[in-house]
Amino acid sequence: MKLIGKHFDKDGQGQVTLIPEDSEDMWHAYNLVANGDSLRSTTVRKVCTESATGSTSSNRVRTTLTISVEGVDFDGQACLLRVRGRNIQENQHVKMGAYHTLDLELNRKFTLAKQVWDVVAIERVELACDPSQSADVAAIVMQEGLANVCLVTPSMTIVRAKIETVIPRKRRGNCSQHDKSLTKFYESVLQALLRHLNFDVLKCVIIASPGFVKDQFYEYMYQEAVKSDNKLLFENKPKFMLAHCSSGYKHSLKELFTDVNLQARLADTRATAEIRALDDFYKMLHDDSDRAAYGEEAVNKAVDNQAVEVLLLTDNLFRCQDVNKRKSYVRLVEEVREVGGEVRIFSSLHVSGEQLAMLSGIAATLRFPMPELDLQEDDDSSDGG
């Protein structure tokens, strides 16, 4: 994301002008734009004109609109962002108060104004504009007949291609059908890899599977590279890593990021840090449950007692329509940091974020035991019964 300009008043009001440069920037924009904000960008509008004779004609004109946001839709697969609202500035082609939908597009600037820029929103802008943040890890998780080619960015996991092929079972004395289908499957995975991975950006490409599927595919890939004289694959051979995972489904990515053997290569990626923080929480929950809390009520009580060492939140909590609710989450972030605690905001498009969402989207590891949190949960459940 390119930052063109920003201005914040002392009372927190202000605006930023940004240019989204890649698909991940659309995800950042989705997390920034909220109901009640004003958004200014160029758009195409159908305009009807009436001639002196009474005949009407319509044509599409490009104009700049400023709308008061009433709804935001994000298409995760296409990485498209559509923002609905009413026009709030005089315009030659669009009446005041008329509804319009702005499509935020790559390489087209927009200006976003808020009544209050809280710490989470400001950090989101800083994160989006940090040039070191990029999709520097790719992963191909596979099993016989199924493969997912994924890009792991700092804010989301994008499945670029899903390959599914029916592989017949081996028959005694006749394996030809099985081998042919497997070769065809490997060919499809290789073509998807070459089509979707940008080796100029990638630092590491993980190929993972149960059993020997990964090894067979890796061998096939470089046999084909020799036949076709594919210099790209040979130049980037050091970037490939083979690893074990339990299946070819997307959720197996979590296993890769917690694999000790991969940690050194992946140490500088944000996704790894998030999964490690979640893994630490689960270990604490298992080994010393009095030093782990999850759910709003328990975490709020822990924050009030300055007990939180690491606070874990999913980013979709900050997209809630209730302004006071969002303020309460921002307050948690600020209070934990004030007493030296660490805050991790998980992307709901990452495997780790999906897992945290199953725990209500908010959890914490604590500096000291608080057994009363467990007692409180027991009381609540007995009251409910």
Side-chain angles (χ1 to χ4, degrees), residues 215-233:
D215 307 274
Q216 292 166 358
F217 170 71
Y218 183 78
E219 185 180 347
Y220 167 85
M221 178 170 65
Y222 277 98
Q223 286 175 352
E224 290 300 305
V226 171
K227 291 178 187 176
S228 60
D229 192 26
N230 190 318
K231 293 179 181 177
L232 181 70
L233 287 175

Side-chain angles (χ1 to χ4, degrees), residues 155-170:
S155 299
M156 64 176 112
T157 302
I158 308 167
V159 178
R160 283 298 189 197
K162 184 176 183 179
I163 298 97
E164 290 182 284
T165 305
V166 176
I167 309 290
R169 291 185 178 181
K170 290 183 179 179

Side-chain angles (χ1 to χ4, degrees), residues 1-8 14-19 24-25 27-33 37 110-114 116-131 133 155 270 326 345:
M1 189 91 78
K2 185 181 290 184
L3 179 66
I4 303 300
K6 64 178 179 179
H7 174 74
F8 300 127
Q15 65 180 39
V16 295
T17 301
L18 302 162
I19 298 179
E24 187 172 355
D25 290 342
W27 175 250
H28 288 305
Y30 176 52
N31 281 278
L32 281 170
V33 180
D37 295 347
F110 66 88
T111 299
L112 178 67
K114 291 177 177 287
V116 177
W117 282 86
D118 57 47
V119 63
V120 173
I122 292 171
E123 285 180 2
R124 174 67 67 170
V125 173
E126 292 171 352
L127 175 65
C129 298
D130 183 352
Q133 306 291 340
S155 299
R270 182 178 166 221
R326 179 186 166 100
I345 298 178

Side-chain angles (χ1 to χ4, degrees), residues 34-290:
N35 287 4
D37 295 347
S38 69
L39 181 69
R40 182 176 178 82
S41 184
T42 58
T43 186
V44 174
R45 179 86 173 187
K46 188 177 180 180
V47 177
C48 295
T49 54
E50 186 174 343
S51 67
T53 60
S55 62
T56 59
S57 62
S58 64
N59 60 319
R60 299 172 72 82
V61 296
R62 183 163 289 282
T63 185
T64 301
L65 287 184
T66 303
I67 64 171
S68 176
V69 178
E70 294 187 12
V72 186
D73 294 316
F74 178 71
D75 184 337
Q77 290 299 316
C79 284
L80 294 175
L81 191 64
R82 292 188 171 89
V83 185
R84 304 183 307 279
R86 291 178 181 268
N87 181 36
I88 56 173
Q89 282 192 4
E90 289 286 351
N91 186 281
Q92 178 185 352
H93 305 291
V94 184
K95 294 178 181 177
M96 287 280 287
Y99 275 103
H100 189 80
T101 298
L102 290 175
D103 289 341
L104 296 190
E105 301 175 8
L106 293 178
N107 302 310
R108 182 170 294 159
K109 74 175 180 180
F110 66 88
T111 299
L112 178 67
K114 291 177 177 287
Q115 291 299 315
V116 177
W117 282 86
D118 57 47
V119 63
V120 173
I122 292 171
E123 285 180 2
R124 174 67 67 170
V125 173
E126 292 171 352
L127 175 65
C129 298
D130 183 352
S132 67
Q133 306 291 340
S134 58
D136 54 4
V137 178
I140 302 159
V141 285
M142 61 195 306
Q143 62 190 54
E144 280 199 3
L146 173 66
N148 280 283
V149 179
C150 307
L151 284 179
V152 184
T153 76
S155 299
M156 64 176 112
T157 302
I158 308 167
V159 178
R160 283 298 189 197
K162 184 176 183 179
I163 298 97
E164 290 182 284
T165 305
V166 176
I167 309 290
R169 291 185 178 181
K170 290 183 179 179
R171 298 184 182 278
R172 187 176 295 176
N174 183 10
C175 300
S176 60
Q177 285 299 107
H178 173 272
D179 293 345
K180 281 180 184 177
S181 298
L182 201 57
T183 301
K184 188 177 179 181
F185 169 63
Y186 289 156
E187 182 185 352
S188 299
V189 177
L190 177 56
Q191 291 307 314
L193 179 154
L194 294 171
R195 189 181 309 117
H196 295 291
L197 301 191
N198 181 359
F199 286 96
D200 293 335
V201 175
L202 291 171
K203 295 177 184 174
C204 178
V205 181
I206 304 166
I207 302 173
S209 77
F212 297 102
V213 177
K214 61 186 181 298
D215 307 274
Q216 292 166 358
F217 170 71
Y218 183 78
E219 185 180 347
Y220 167 85
M221 178 170 65
Y222 277 98
Q223 286 175 352
E224 290 300 305
V226 171
K227 291 178 187 176
S228 60
D229 192 26
N230 190 318
K231 293 179 181 177
L232 181 70
L233 287 175
F234 284 111
E235 288 170 358
N236 290 281
K237 195 170 184 177
K239 294 181 180 180
F240 284 93
M241 296 181 67
L242 303 185
H244 174 81
C245 67
S246 59
S247 77
Y249 292 95
K250 177 186 165 186
H251 63 75
S252 296
L253 286 170
K254 180 183 181 294
E255 302 167 28
L256 302 182
F257 284 100
T258 53
D259 186 336
V260 176
N261 297 321
L262 294 176
Q263 288 296 329
R265 287 285 294 272
L266 303 176
D268 60 344
T269 66
R270 182 178 166 221
T272 309
E274 287 183 355
I275 289 178
R276 195 184 302 122
L278 187 61
D279 203 39
D280 289 345
F281 168 79
Y282 277 121
K283 284 179 183 174
M284 187 68 77
L285 190 63
H286 180 268
D287 298 339
D288 188 1
S289 61
D290 290 344

